[in-house]
Amino acid sequence: ARRGDYDKALTLYDKALAVEPTPLTWVNKGNILLALNRDSDARAAFRKALELDPDNKHALSGLALLDSR
């Protein structure tokens, strides 16, 4: 994917999060941030997902991936 696609997606996810923050939206944002190598921002997004759903496997997986880098 192109950089601009990720940037556009981040903008859309931020708009969605402003309306209704859900664990899935936070995880998806975290995955985009991972792809952009914005590790600290990705970690924050995955943690936000876990605040809403402490057992979210996708968020836990994202954090595990970050820890393995």
Side-chain angles (χ1 to χ4, degrees), residues 53-68:
D53 177 10
D55 297 320
N56 188 291
K57 291 175 180 33
H58 300 289
L60 292 168
S61 177
L63 289 175
L65 180 63
L66 282 165
D67 290 342
S68 72

Side-chain angles (χ1 to χ4, degrees), residues 16 34 37 52-53 55:
L34 268 178
N37 293 313
L52 298 171
D53 177 10
D55 297 320

Side-chain angles (χ1 to χ4, degrees), residues 34-56:
L34 268 178
L36 292 170
N37 293 313
R38 292 175 50 187
D39 291 1
S40 64
D41 293 331
R43 186 177 301 278
F46 293 134
R47 286 185 176 149
K48 285 285 195 178
L50 291 172
E51 286 176 17
L52 298 171
D53 177 10
D55 297 320
N56 188 291

Side-chain angles (χ1 to χ4, degrees), residues 4-61:
D5 293 338
Y6 287 130
D7 290 337
K8 184 175 182 178
L10 279 177
T11 299
L12 294 173
Y13 278 114
D14 285 337
K15 288 180 181 180
L17 287 165
V19 174
E20 183 178 355
T22 67
L24 178 60
T25 308
W26 280 113
V27 167
N28 288 339
K29 181 177 179 177
N31 287 330
I32 293 168
L33 292 164
L34 268 178
L36 292 170
N37 293 313
R38 292 175 50 187
D39 291 1
S40 64
D41 293 331
R43 186 177 301 278
F46 293 134
R47 286 185 176 149
K48 285 285 195 178
L50 291 172
E51 286 176 17
L52 298 171
D53 177 10
D55 297 320
N56 188 291
K57 291 175 180 33
H58 300 289
L60 292 168
S61 177

